[in-house]
Amino acid sequence: MAAATISIEQDQFCCSVCLEVLRDPVTIPCGHSYCLDCIEDYWNRTKQKGQYSCPQCRQVFNPRPLLSRNTVLGEVLEKFQRTGFQAAAQHLAKPADVKCSVCTRRKGKAVKSCLACSESYCVAHLRVHEERFHGKTHKLIPAVDQLREKLCPQHDKSLRLYCLTDQQCVCSQCVKESHKGHDTVSVGDERATQQKKLQETSMKSVQKLKDTEKELRYVVRYIKHSTQAAVEESERVFSKLIRSIEKQSCEVKELIRVQERAAVSQAEELLEKIQRETAELRRADAELEKLSRNGDHVHFLQKCKSLHLPTKTVEMPNTDALQYLMYKTMRGALADLKDSLAETLEREFNRISDKVISLKETSNQSTSEKTKAKDIDIPYNSEPKTRADFLQYYNDITLDPNTANPYLSFSDGRRAVTTRLEPQPYPDHPSRFTSWAQVLCRAGMAGRCYWEVEWAGNGGVSIGVCYKNMSRSGGGSDCKLGHNSKSWSLDCTYSVCSFQHNKESVTIAAPCCSRIGVYLDFRGGTLSFYNVSDSMVLLHKVKTTFTQPVYPGFWVGLSSTLRVCSL
């Protein structure tokens, strides 16, 4: 009973505004007590035309009462705190605790729950409960929330068993009646089983989410790399197109200048003729003037016949025809060229846009492994088998002269290279290989790509791929295809064939034929080399993870020749 008395007295010493123990207590005219700061803040917030009320009884005061500290109540609080009030406060329920069902206002922490009363009790009220029901059967259990949910609604008994047949919690009486003969276990055992299943499911879900996140991050990198490769290729093509147009523009200008020089030369010749005849006419005019002053008529008649006065007019060039040729005809031809070029560009741009849109639609069809490309009947997770399958991914690669070592000589429209004894007069370029007889292709590869090359010569060749940032200057392994972490290569000679990557070599039993096919699956992380003949014979396949677009590259031995195949 002492503990219960403390709890009641504790409520009496609480401020009804902040619900905490009174601090600097003051008593207003109606008799209720509050913390000094609490009642002042409360009255400062109301501002009801000078009227101030009690937060509990609502009695109105006008004017505002003067507040003075209640000395007696303050001393009682100090004495009460010294005698154990703080210890009693430790029994108050925290947010995570089960609260006493009997406590009013500030709830105490429940320590037991009664199945018969369907209530939970703090230490003080538990003693009252035991005194009231002493000798009667009241089952006490550790304190739980929502006690009624733990009882059988039909028999008011504790749900201690779990029916596996009906998948529900039951009491001992249910097992004898409606669940008779059913397979049952204790709720503890079933909870352990279900908890284990949920934990396993959670772990699988977490792992699946991690795998999905990893795949999505890879897809993002793949999209960026593929887009960058496409942008670089488009820049290369349009730059070449612009250079071609600029070249044609210069040729047209030169053609016009040639016509101009011919016409001006003709006009200048006529002008010189006119000037000569003008000078001759002036001499004849001077002699005629001299004869005119002589009064001898016979002399005049004898001399005038020898005077030469030109009467033939000079035929003027047809400037109208020239203007028509140089302006109207040329203007019309250029206008036709502009219209034709604009029509061609629009048609081709629409075709390219349709291709891009079709790729987007294809990528949106499905994210599963069974997705098929719109124009390809090969599942994404399978590799091509026949040469016809490979050719669906064919890329017409072109060599980049800016990367070629000076000892490489181009032929066949720059589709073939041969290593010579004498260097070629290539201009300096930061992308050029300075020591190794190597050359790269213009465009980077990302996605599924296939290309073929032919080679010949006793010096052998290396066929591979590399990242764009592979070193170019120097004769070390950092610049040699297949001898660093940024490149992969197949080394071919008539006698031996091997695969190289990062200074590691794998000898291949089958000899290399003169035509080699290279298949790249960027997203799948595979690079494969094939002998190409009537059938595709796999020479070597490497599994890796590509972190950026790769560029086809080749090393060509002395006197050997390598040619990029065009299909």
Side-chain angles (χ1 to χ4, degrees), residues 120-175:
S120 299
Y121 303 106
C122 63
V123 174
H125 290 111
L126 178 61
R127 292 178 180 175
V128 175
H129 174 273
E130 290 177 346
E131 292 177 358
R132 180 180 301 175
F133 299 104
H134 182 69
K136 296 183 179 180
T137 305
H138 278 240
K139 179 66 174 179
L140 297 176
I141 61 174
V144 293
D145 272 330
Q146 300 175 334
L147 187 58
R148 292 302 307 174
E149 294 183 3
K150 311 302 189 294
L151 300 178
C152 175
Q154 293 181 343
H155 307 105
D156 248 7
K157 289 187 176 183
S158 177
L159 298 173
R160 296 183 177 181
L161 302 173
Y162 186 83
C163 177
L164 298 175
T165 306
D166 295 333
Q167 297 289 300
Q168 67 182 67
C169 296
V170 295
C171 68
S172 57
Q173 190 65 28
C174 291
V175 174

Side-chain angles (χ1 to χ4, degrees), residues 391-448:
L391 292 181
Q392 294 187 72
Y393 303 101
Y394 172 73
N395 276 61
D396 189 10
I397 60 178
T398 56
L399 300 175
D400 184 1
N402 291 329
T403 65
N405 179 266
Y407 286 88
L408 290 178
S409 175
F410 286 92
S411 60
D412 192 17
R414 290 185 175 177
R415 299 193 66 84
V417 288
T418 302
T419 301
R420 306 294 185 185
L421 291 173
E422 299 296 330
Q424 307 299 308
Y426 296 146
D428 291 337
H429 197 280
S431 298
R432 193 174 306 285
F433 288 102
T434 60
S435 297
W436 296 103
Q438 298 177 153
V439 63
L440 300 183
C441 289
R442 292 182 182 273
M445 299 293 178
R448 284 187 161 191

Side-chain angles (χ1 to χ4, degrees), residues 23-80:
R23 300 182 304 277
D24 294 331
V26 295
T27 304
I28 61 177
C30 63
H32 291 112
S33 299
Y34 301 95
C35 299
L36 177 61
D37 293 338
C38 292
I39 191 62
E40 285 186 342
D41 290 342
Y42 179 79
W43 281 347
N44 290 336
R45 290 197 304 268
T46 55
K47 298 182 180 179
Q48 299 177 356
K49 298 181 180 180
Q51 295 184 351
Y52 304 92
S53 61
C54 174
Q56 294 187 65
C57 65
R58 303 300 179 185
Q59 181 177 344
V60 177
F61 310 106
N62 192 0
R64 176 172 175 168
L66 295 175
L67 298 176
S68 299
R69 188 175 184 275
N70 190 328
T71 306
V72 176
L73 183 57
E75 292 176 352
V76 172
L77 279 172
E78 291 178 0
K79 181 179 179 181
F80 196 71

Side-chain angles (χ1 to χ4, degrees), residues 14-20 34-35 38-39 42 45 55 105:
C14 287
C15 172
S16 61
V17 176
C18 66
L19 302 180
E20 299 293 339
Y34 301 95
C35 299
C38 292
I39 191 62
Y42 179 79
R45 290 197 304 268
R105 296 182 63 184

Side-chain angles (χ1 to χ4, degrees), residues 161-339:
L161 302 173
Y162 186 83
C163 177
L164 298 175
T165 306
D166 295 333
Q167 297 289 300
Q168 67 182 67
C169 296
V170 295
C171 68
S172 57
Q173 190 65 28
C174 291
V175 174
K176 298 177 181 179
E177 297 177 0
S178 57
H179 294 268
K180 185 177 182 180
H182 291 185
D183 189 8
T184 59
V185 295
S186 68
V187 291
D189 291 343
E190 181 61 19
R191 181 257 177 86
T193 301
Q194 294 295 337
Q195 185 172 345
K196 182 178 180 181
K197 288 182 179 180
L198 289 174
Q199 289 174 343
E200 292 175 352
T201 303
S202 176
M203 292 177 62
K204 291 180 180 179
S205 299
V206 170
Q207 185 60 43
K208 187 175 182 180
L209 288 175
K210 288 182 178 179
D211 294 342
T212 303
E213 180 183 4
K214 182 179 179 180
E215 178 69 14
L216 287 175
R217 292 186 183 279
Y218 180 84
V219 168
V220 170
R221 293 197 306 270
Y222 171 75
I223 292 173
K224 289 182 177 180
H225 294 159
S226 300
T227 303
Q228 181 62 28
V231 168
E232 290 178 358
E233 181 65 11
S234 66
E235 288 178 349
R236 185 188 68 80
V237 171
F238 278 105
S239 296
K240 186 175 181 180
L241 181 61
I242 291 171
R243 289 194 300 270
S244 177
I245 293 175
E246 290 175 346
K247 180 181 177 182
Q248 294 297 325
S249 174
C250 292
E251 292 178 356
V252 170
K253 290 178 182 178
E254 181 60 25
L255 178 62
I256 294 174
R257 293 300 182 189
V258 169
Q259 296 298 324
E260 176 194 30
R261 288 193 293 270
V264 169
S265 177
Q266 180 184 5
E268 287 177 345
E269 289 179 2
L270 292 175
L271 182 60
E272 290 178 0
K273 183 178 180 181
I274 292 294
Q275 290 173 347
R276 290 194 300 270
E277 292 185 356
T278 299
E280 186 178 348
L281 180 59
R282 287 175 180 173
R283 288 193 300 271
D285 284 343
E287 189 174 349
L288 178 61
E289 179 67 23
K290 182 179 180 181
L291 289 176
S292 298
R293 291 194 297 269
N294 193 335
D296 187 349
H297 300 305
V298 175
H299 180 76
F300 178 85
L301 293 174
Q302 290 176 344
K303 295 294 185 179
C304 70
K305 294 180 179 180
S306 62
L307 294 176
H308 177 68
L309 298 173
T311 59
K312 186 178 180 180
T313 59
V314 177
E315 183 178 354
M316 298 297 293
N318 188 355
T319 56
D320 291 338
L322 183 63
Q323 181 185 14
Y324 181 81
L325 173 65
M326 297 184 64
Y327 179 71
K328 294 184 178 179
T329 302
M330 185 64 67
R331 183 174 180 270
L334 291 176
D336 292 341
L337 174 62
K338 179 180 73 66
D339 294 340

Side-chain angles (χ1 to χ4, degrees), residues 466-501:
C466 70
Y467 293 146
K468 189 175 184 179
N469 60 356
M470 188 180 82
S471 298
R472 311 297 173 89
S473 178
S477 59
D478 289 344
C479 307
K480 181 70 169 71
L481 277 174
H483 289 255
N484 50 71
S485 62
K486 299 180 180 179
S487 62
W488 301 257
S489 74
L490 181 74
D491 294 353
C492 304
T493 64
Y494 290 134
S495 59
V496 66
C497 179
S498 62
F499 174 79
Q500 307 287 337
H501 173 63

Side-chain angles (χ1 to χ4, degrees), residues 359 361-374 376-382 393 448 523:
L359 288 174
E361 291 175 350
T362 301
S363 65
N364 290 336
Q365 285 178 3
S366 175
T367 56
S368 68
E369 291 298 326
K370 297 181 180 180
T371 300
K372 294 183 179 181
K374 187 176 182 181
I376 299 174
D377 295 330
I378 303 172
Y380 191 86
N381 60 353
S382 67
Y393 303 101
R448 284 187 161 191
R523 182 177 178 182

